[in-house]
Amino acid sequence: MIRVGKFSSVLFLLLVVFTGLLPFAVPQICQEALREGLVLCGGPLLLSLFPFLVVSSLLIQCPAGERLAVPFRPVVRLIGLDNHCAARVLMIGFLGGFAPAASAAAEAVRTGQMTAEEADALLLACVCSGPSFVILTVGRYLLGSTELGICLFVSQILAGYLSAAVLFRLHPCRNAGTPAEPQSFPTPRLDQILASATQTYLKLCGFVLYFRMLAAGAGAIFPQAVETIAAILLEVCAGCSASAGIGFWGSALCCASLSVQGLSVLLQIRTICPVEMTLRPLYQARLLHLPLSLAFFYLLMPAGEQDVFRTLRPWVVLMNRVPTDCALLVFAACCVAASALTSAARQINNDITS
């Protein structure tokens, strides 16, 4: 424990030095990164995030929101939970991405509709980027293909659901299906919801600006490969922007960036969620989510997207896709294998405890 504390102290000291020297070492690059971050926060991010922060609070506090989340109840049961509020949180994550989902999960824990342990397990399936960002910004704008954006979005959603189901069966909640009794709250006030959503959005923008500046500074000091890796590990928007220009590996690196989500997203979720939620399952799930999302992406990527790989010569044809029925068969085989592995792991655990 002492060694971990010393390592953290050294890491924070290096971060302090790097952050303090960066504006003096490359002021123009830092200024440009912050300007781009402000444009992002005042444009695409504002449209794709702020309305869903308001919607998440309204849906969680409004009992009628359960009717809209009915299509997501089978997915919640597939993951292993049995909670109607969990379906609403899952729907919010599907439509709005990680920040509204984390906000909804935190509100559900605060109002007693979910336990902190259930919310931790559910967040594994909710930490993803919203469809507007993935399909429009990453797909259409960065990669030049809306179809690729749809494949990226579906891949990260499927990987999130599958990783949540696997990890829940390896580490089931002790009190799953029996959340605390919901408390009676007065009718939600719109002014409080808007004020809370505004404060949350401003906090998230601060994370985006800071980590974009760090990623840009690393790119100015280190080689391009280090710049891309640093951008992927630090901030998802910068990671996708840096990955899209790689060429042949651009779409795969964008998929990896959307899977990792970056340190910025993990810290944003930590800021939104209450201290009762440990988020340890979320950190473990990212290691499983990455290979699953890449596998789904290459199975779903449509034929004829060779134009995205602009570095290849025109006469090179990529033999890279399987038919849809074969892809579904492989997905079913993966589900069967995951079920068999979890059953075997549970049996081994029972043998050890007995």
Side-chain angles (χ1 to χ4, degrees):
M1 185 64 67
I2 296 177
R3 291 183 179 179
V4 174
K6 289 183 178 179
F7 177 76
S8 300
S9 299
V10 173
L11 186 62
F12 274 107
L13 179 60
L14 293 177
L15 186 62
V16 167
V17 174
F18 185 72
T19 305
L21 294 179
L22 203 57
F24 297 96
V26 283
Q28 191 65 32
I29 292 178
C30 290
Q31 179 180 347
E32 182 65 19
L34 292 174
R35 186 191 66 80
E36 292 176 356
L38 287 174
V39 172
L40 177 67
C41 292
L45 195 63
L46 180 63
L47 178 62
S48 62
L49 189 56
F50 180 74
F52 291 101
L53 290 174
V54 178
V55 168
S56 65
S57 297
L58 289 173
L59 284 177
I60 292 300
Q61 298 184 38
C62 179
E66 291 186 3
R67 300 176 183 176
L68 298 176
V70 169
F72 291 88
R73 289 182 185 175
V75 181
V76 171
R77 293 192 181 96
L78 176 66
I79 292 173
L81 297 171
D82 187 12
N83 189 308
H84 289 175
C85 184
R88 281 184 277 169
V89 176
L90 196 64
M91 177 184 67
I92 292 169
F94 180 87
L95 297 175
F98 67 91
S103 178
E107 185 68 21
V109 172
R110 186 183 70 83
T111 56
Q113 299 180 66
M114 292 179 65
T115 64
E117 194 175 10
E118 284 182 322
D120 270 329
L122 186 63
L123 270 186
L124 308 183
C126 298
V127 176
C128 59
S129 298
S132 60
F133 173 74
V134 178
I135 297 174
L136 299 179
T137 303
V138 180
R140 179 185 295 180
Y141 177 71
L142 294 179
L143 295 176
S145 170
T146 303
E147 205 169 0
L148 268 181
I150 296 174
C151 291
L152 286 170
F153 179 70
V154 174
S155 300
Q156 67 166 351
I157 290 294
L158 292 178
Y161 292 170
L162 186 56
S163 60
V166 170
L167 290 180
F168 182 86
R169 284 159 177 78
L170 289 176
H171 305 285
C173 297
R174 292 186 299 271
N175 51 359
T178 58
E181 289 296 327
Q183 305 175 23
S184 58
F185 284 89
T187 304
R189 292 177 50 183
L190 185 59
D191 59 330
Q192 294 179 347
I193 291 176
L194 291 176
S196 177
T198 302
Q199 292 177 358
T200 301
Y201 182 75
L202 291 176
K203 291 179 182 178
L204 301 185
C205 288
F207 284 100
V208 171
L209 292 175
Y210 176 69
F211 283 101
R212 281 188 74 91
M213 186 184 72
L214 288 186
I221 297 174
F222 300 105
Q224 183 182 9
V226 178
E227 173 191 2
T228 303
I229 295 175
I232 291 175
L233 295 178
L234 290 175
E235 206 269 320
V236 61
C237 299
C240 291
S241 180
S243 301
I246 298 300
F248 178 78
W249 298 104
S251 59
L253 288 175
C254 283
C255 184
S257 181
L258 291 170
S259 175
V260 174
Q261 286 292 314
L263 183 60
S264 174
V265 168
L266 298 179
L267 290 179
Q268 290 175 47
I269 296 173
R270 178 68 278 175
T271 300
I272 295 173
C273 294
V275 294
E276 294 86 358
M277 298 174 60
T278 64
L279 301 186
R280 292 193 191 97
L282 175 61
Y283 305 144
Q284 299 171 359
R286 305 327 292 173
L287 300 176
L288 179 60
H289 190 280
L290 179 58
L292 287 176
S293 62
L294 288 172
F296 283 129
F297 177 61
Y298 277 103
L299 287 174
L300 295 173
M301 186 191 297
E305 290 294 342
Q306 295 90 344
D307 293 338
V308 176
F309 307 124
R310 296 184 178 88
T311 58
L312 295 179
R313 294 182 180 274
W315 56 81
V316 175
V317 178
L318 300 179
M319 307 296 293
N320 57 351
R321 296 302 147 248
V322 297
T324 304
D325 54 348
C326 295
L328 293 176
L329 183 61
V330 172
F331 174 67
C334 291
C335 294
V336 173
S339 178
L341 288 174
T342 53
S343 299
R346 185 177 299 176
Q347 182 64 34
I348 293 174
N349 188 30
N350 292 337
D351 294 340
I352 293 176
T353 55
S354 61

Coordinates of all heavy atoms in Angstrom, one line a residue, residues 278-317:
T278 N -18.4 1.9 -6.5 CA -16.9 1.7 -6.5 C -16.4 1.9 -7.9 O -15.2 2.3 -8.1 CB -16.5 0.4 -5.9 OG1 -17.0 -0.7 -6.8 CG2 -17.1 0.2 -4.5
L279 N -17.1 1.5 -8.9 CA -16.7 1.5 -10.3 C -15.6 0.5 -10.6 O -15.0 0.5 -11.7 CB -16.3 2.9 -10.8 CG -17.3 4.0 -10.6 CD1 -16.7 5.3 -11.2 CD2 -18.6 3.7 -11.3
R280 N -15.3 -0.4 -9.7 CA -14.3 -1.4 -10.0 C -14.7 -2.3 -11.1 O -13.8 -2.6 -12.0 CB -14.0 -2.2 -8.7 CG -13.3 -1.5 -7.6 CD -12.8 -2.4 -6.5 NE -12.3 -1.6 -5.4 CZ -13.1 -1.4 -4.3 NH1 -14.3 -2.0 -4.2 NH2 -12.6 -0.7 -3.3
P281 N -15.9 -2.8 -11.2 CA -16.3 -3.6 -12.4 C -16.1 -2.9 -13.7 O -15.8 -3.5 -14.7 CB -17.8 -4.0 -12.1 CG -17.9 -3.9 -10.6 CD -17.0 -2.7 -10.2
L282 N -16.3 -1.6 -13.7 CA -16.2 -0.8 -14.9 C -14.8 -0.9 -15.4 O -14.5 -1.0 -16.6 CB -16.7 0.6 -14.7 CG -16.5 1.6 -15.9 CD1 -17.3 1.1 -17.1 CD2 -16.9 3.0 -15.5
Y283 N -13.8 -0.7 -14.5 CA -12.4 -0.7 -14.9 C -12.0 -2.1 -15.5 O -11.2 -2.2 -16.4 CB -11.5 -0.3 -13.7 CG -11.9 1.0 -13.1 CD1 -11.8 1.2 -11.7 CD2 -12.4 2.1 -13.9 CE1 -12.1 2.4 -11.2 CE2 -12.7 3.3 -13.3 CZ -12.6 3.5 -12.0 OH -12.9 4.6 -11.4
Q284 N -12.5 -3.1 -14.8 CA -12.2 -4.5 -15.3 C -12.8 -4.8 -16.7 O -12.2 -5.4 -17.5 CB -12.7 -5.5 -14.3 CG -12.1 -5.4 -12.9 CD -12.8 -6.3 -11.9 OE1 -13.7 -7.0 -12.2 NE2 -12.3 -6.3 -10.7
A285 N -14.0 -4.2 -16.9 CA -14.8 -4.5 -18.1 C -14.1 -3.9 -19.3 O -14.3 -4.4 -20.5 CB -16.2 -4.0 -18.0
R286 N -13.3 -2.8 -19.2 CA -12.7 -2.2 -20.4 C -11.7 -3.2 -21.0 O -11.5 -3.1 -22.3 CB -12.0 -0.9 -20.0 CG -12.9 0.1 -19.3 CD -14.3 0.2 -19.7 NE -14.5 0.6 -21.1 CZ -15.7 0.6 -21.7 NH1 -16.7 0.1 -21.1 NH2 -15.8 1.0 -22.9
L287 N -11.1 -4.1 -20.2 CA -10.1 -5.0 -20.8 C -10.9 -6.1 -21.7 O -10.3 -6.5 -22.7 CB -9.3 -5.7 -19.7 CG -8.5 -4.8 -18.8 CD1 -7.9 -5.6 -17.6 CD2 -7.5 -4.1 -19.6
L288 N -12.1 -6.4 -21.3 CA -12.8 -7.4 -22.1 C -13.6 -6.7 -23.2 O -13.8 -7.3 -24.3 CB -13.9 -8.1 -21.1 CG -14.8 -9.1 -21.8 CD1 -14.0 -10.2 -22.4 CD2 -15.8 -9.6 -20.8
H289 N -14.0 -5.4 -23.0 CA -14.7 -4.7 -24.0 C -13.9 -4.5 -25.3 O -14.5 -4.6 -26.4 CB -15.2 -3.4 -23.5 CG -16.2 -2.7 -24.3 ND1 -15.8 -1.9 -25.4 CD2 -17.5 -2.6 -24.2 CE1 -16.9 -1.4 -26.0 NE2 -17.9 -1.8 -25.3
L290 N -12.6 -4.2 -25.2 CA -11.8 -3.9 -26.3 C -11.7 -5.0 -27.4 O -12.1 -4.8 -28.5 CB -10.4 -3.5 -25.9 CG -9.4 -3.1 -27.0 CD1 -9.9 -2.0 -27.8 CD2 -8.0 -2.8 -26.4
P291 N -11.3 -6.2 -27.0 CA -11.3 -7.3 -28.1 C -12.7 -7.6 -28.6 O -12.9 -7.9 -29.8 CB -10.7 -8.5 -27.3 CG -10.9 -8.2 -25.9 CD -10.8 -6.8 -25.7
L292 N -13.7 -7.6 -27.7 CA -15.1 -7.8 -28.2 C -15.6 -6.8 -29.2 O -16.1 -7.2 -30.3 CB -16.1 -7.9 -27.0 CG -16.0 -9.1 -26.1 CD1 -16.9 -9.0 -24.9 CD2 -16.3 -10.4 -26.9
S293 N -15.3 -5.5 -28.9 CA -15.8 -4.5 -29.9 C -15.0 -4.6 -31.2 O -15.6 -4.4 -32.3 CB -15.6 -3.1 -29.2 OG -14.2 -2.9 -29.0
L294 N -13.7 -4.9 -31.2 CA -13.0 -5.0 -32.4 C -13.5 -6.2 -33.2 O -13.6 -6.2 -34.5 CB -11.5 -5.2 -32.1 CG -10.8 -3.9 -31.6 CD1 -9.4 -4.3 -31.2 CD2 -10.7 -2.9 -32.7
A295 N -13.8 -7.3 -32.5 CA -14.3 -8.5 -33.2 C -15.7 -8.2 -33.9 O -15.9 -8.5 -35.0 CB -14.4 -9.7 -32.3
F296 N -16.6 -7.6 -33.1 CA -17.9 -7.2 -33.7 C -17.8 -6.3 -34.8 O -18.5 -6.4 -35.8 CB -18.8 -6.6 -32.6 CG -19.4 -7.7 -31.6 CD1 -19.2 -7.5 -30.3 CD2 -20.0 -8.8 -32.1 CE1 -19.8 -8.4 -29.4 CE2 -20.5 -9.7 -31.3 CZ -20.4 -9.5 -29.9
F297 N -16.8 -5.3 -34.7 CA -16.7 -4.3 -35.8 C -16.3 -5.0 -37.1 O -16.8 -4.6 -38.2 CB -15.7 -3.3 -35.3 CG -15.4 -2.2 -36.4 CD1 -16.4 -1.4 -36.9 CD2 -14.1 -2.1 -36.9 CE1 -16.1 -0.4 -37.8 CE2 -13.8 -1.1 -37.9 CZ -14.9 -0.3 -38.3
Y298 N -15.3 -5.9 -37.0 CA -14.8 -6.5 -38.3 C -15.8 -7.5 -38.8 O -15.8 -7.8 -40.0 CB -13.5 -7.2 -38.1 CG -12.4 -6.2 -38.2 CD1 -11.7 -5.7 -37.0 CD2 -12.0 -5.7 -39.4 CE1 -10.7 -4.7 -37.1 CE2 -10.9 -4.7 -39.5 CZ -10.3 -4.3 -38.4 OH -9.3 -3.3 -38.5
L299 N -16.7 -8.0 -38.0 CA -17.8 -8.9 -38.5 C -18.9 -8.1 -39.1 O -19.5 -8.5 -40.1 CB -18.4 -9.7 -37.3 CG -17.5 -10.9 -36.8 CD1 -18.1 -11.5 -35.6 CD2 -17.3 -11.9 -37.9
L300 N -19.1 -6.9 -38.6 CA -20.2 -6.1 -39.1 C -19.8 -5.1 -40.2 O -20.7 -4.6 -40.9 CB -20.8 -5.2 -38.0 CG -21.5 -6.0 -36.8 CD1 -21.9 -5.1 -35.7 CD2 -22.7 -6.8 -37.4
M301 N -18.6 -4.8 -40.4 CA -18.1 -3.8 -41.4 C -18.6 -4.2 -42.8 O -18.3 -5.4 -43.2 CB -16.6 -3.6 -41.4 CG -16.2 -2.5 -42.3 SD -14.4 -2.5 -42.5 CE -13.8 -2.2 -40.9
P302 N -19.3 -3.4 -43.5 CA -19.8 -3.8 -44.8 C -18.8 -3.8 -45.8 O -17.7 -3.1 -45.8 CB -20.8 -2.6 -45.1 CG -20.3 -1.5 -44.4 CD -19.7 -2.0 -43.1
A303 N -19.0 -4.7 -46.8 CA -18.1 -4.7 -48.0 C -18.3 -3.4 -48.8 O -19.3 -2.8 -48.7 CB -18.4 -5.9 -48.9
G304 N -17.2 -3.0 -49.5 CA -17.3 -1.8 -50.3 C -16.9 -0.6 -49.5 O -17.0 0.5 -50.0
E305 N -16.3 -0.7 -48.3 CA -15.8 0.4 -47.5 C -14.3 0.6 -47.8 O -13.7 1.2 -47.0 CB -16.1 0.2 -46.0 CG -17.6 0.3 -45.7 CD -18.1 1.7 -45.9 OE1 -17.3 2.7 -46.0 OE2 -19.4 1.9 -46.0
Q306 N -13.8 0.1 -48.9 CA -12.4 0.2 -49.1 C -12.0 1.6 -49.3 O -10.8 2.0 -49.1 CB -12.0 -0.6 -50.4 CG -12.2 -2.1 -50.2 CD -13.6 -2.6 -50.6 OE1 -14.5 -1.7 -50.7 NE2 -13.8 -3.9 -50.8
D307 N -12.9 2.5 -49.7 CA -12.5 3.9 -50.0 C -12.1 4.6 -48.7 O -11.4 5.6 -48.7 CB -13.7 4.7 -50.6 CG -14.1 4.2 -51.9 OD1 -13.2 3.6 -52.6 OD2 -15.2 4.4 -52.4
V308 N -12.5 4.1 -47.5 CA -12.1 4.7 -46.3 C -10.5 4.6 -46.1 O -9.9 5.5 -45.6 CB -12.8 4.0 -45.1 CG1 -12.3 4.6 -43.8 CG2 -14.3 4.2 -45.2
F309 N -10.0 3.5 -46.6 CA -8.5 3.3 -46.5 C -7.8 3.9 -47.6 O -7.4 3.3 -48.6 CB -8.2 1.8 -46.4 CG -9.0 1.0 -45.4 CD1 -9.8 -0.1 -45.8 CD2 -9.0 1.4 -44.1 CE1 -10.6 -0.7 -44.8 CE2 -9.8 0.7 -43.1 CZ -10.5 -0.3 -43.5
R310 N -7.6 5.2 -47.5 CA -7.1 6.0 -48.7 C -5.7 5.8 -49.0 O -5.2 6.2 -50.0 CB -7.4 7.5 -48.4 CG -8.9 7.8 -48.2 CD -9.0 9.3 -48.1 NE -10.4 9.7 -48.0 CZ -11.2 9.7 -46.9 NH1 -10.6 9.4 -45.8 NH2 -12.4 10.1 -46.9
T311 N -4.9 5.1 -48.0 CA -3.5 4.9 -48.3 C -3.3 3.7 -49.2 O -2.2 3.5 -49.7 CB -2.8 4.7 -47.0 OG1 -3.4 3.6 -46.3 CG2 -2.9 5.9 -46.1
L312 N -4.3 2.9 -49.4 CA -4.1 1.7 -50.3 C -4.1 2.1 -51.8 O -4.8 3.1 -52.1 CB -5.2 0.7 -50.0 CG -5.2 0.0 -48.6 CD1 -6.3 -1.0 -48.5 CD2 -3.9 -0.7 -48.3
R313 N -3.5 1.3 -52.6 CA -3.5 1.6 -54.0 C -4.9 1.2 -54.5 O -5.6 0.3 -54.0 CB -2.5 0.7 -54.8 CG -1.1 1.1 -54.4 CD 0.0 0.3 -55.1 NE 1.3 0.7 -54.8 CZ 2.0 1.7 -55.4 NH1 1.4 2.4 -56.3 NH2 3.2 2.0 -55.0
P314 N -5.4 1.8 -55.6 CA -6.7 1.6 -56.1 C -7.1 0.2 -56.5 O -8.2 -0.2 -56.4 CB -6.8 2.6 -57.3 CG -5.8 3.6 -57.1 CD -4.7 2.9 -56.4
W315 N -6.0 -0.6 -56.9 CA -6.4 -2.0 -57.4 C -6.4 -3.0 -56.3 O -6.6 -4.2 -56.5 CB -5.4 -2.4 -58.5 CG -3.9 -2.3 -58.0 CD1 -3.2 -3.2 -57.3 CD2 -3.0 -1.2 -58.3 NE1 -2.0 -2.8 -57.1 CE2 -1.8 -1.6 -57.7 CE3 -3.1 0.0 -59.0 CZ2 -0.7 -0.7 -57.8 CZ3 -2.0 0.8 -59.1 CH2 -0.8 0.5 -58.4
V316 N -6.1 -2.6 -55.0 CA -6.1 -3.5 -53.9 C -7.6 -3.6 -53.5 O -8.2 -2.7 -53.2 CB -5.2 -3.0 -52.8 CG1 -5.4 -4.0 -51.6 CG2 -3.8 -3.0 -53.2
V317 N -8.1 -4.9 -53.4 CA -9.4 -5.1 -53.0 C -9.4 -5.9 -51.7 O -8.7 -6.9 -51.6 CB -10.2 -6.0 -54.0 CG1 -11.6 -6.3 -53.5 CG2 -10.3 -5.2 -55.3

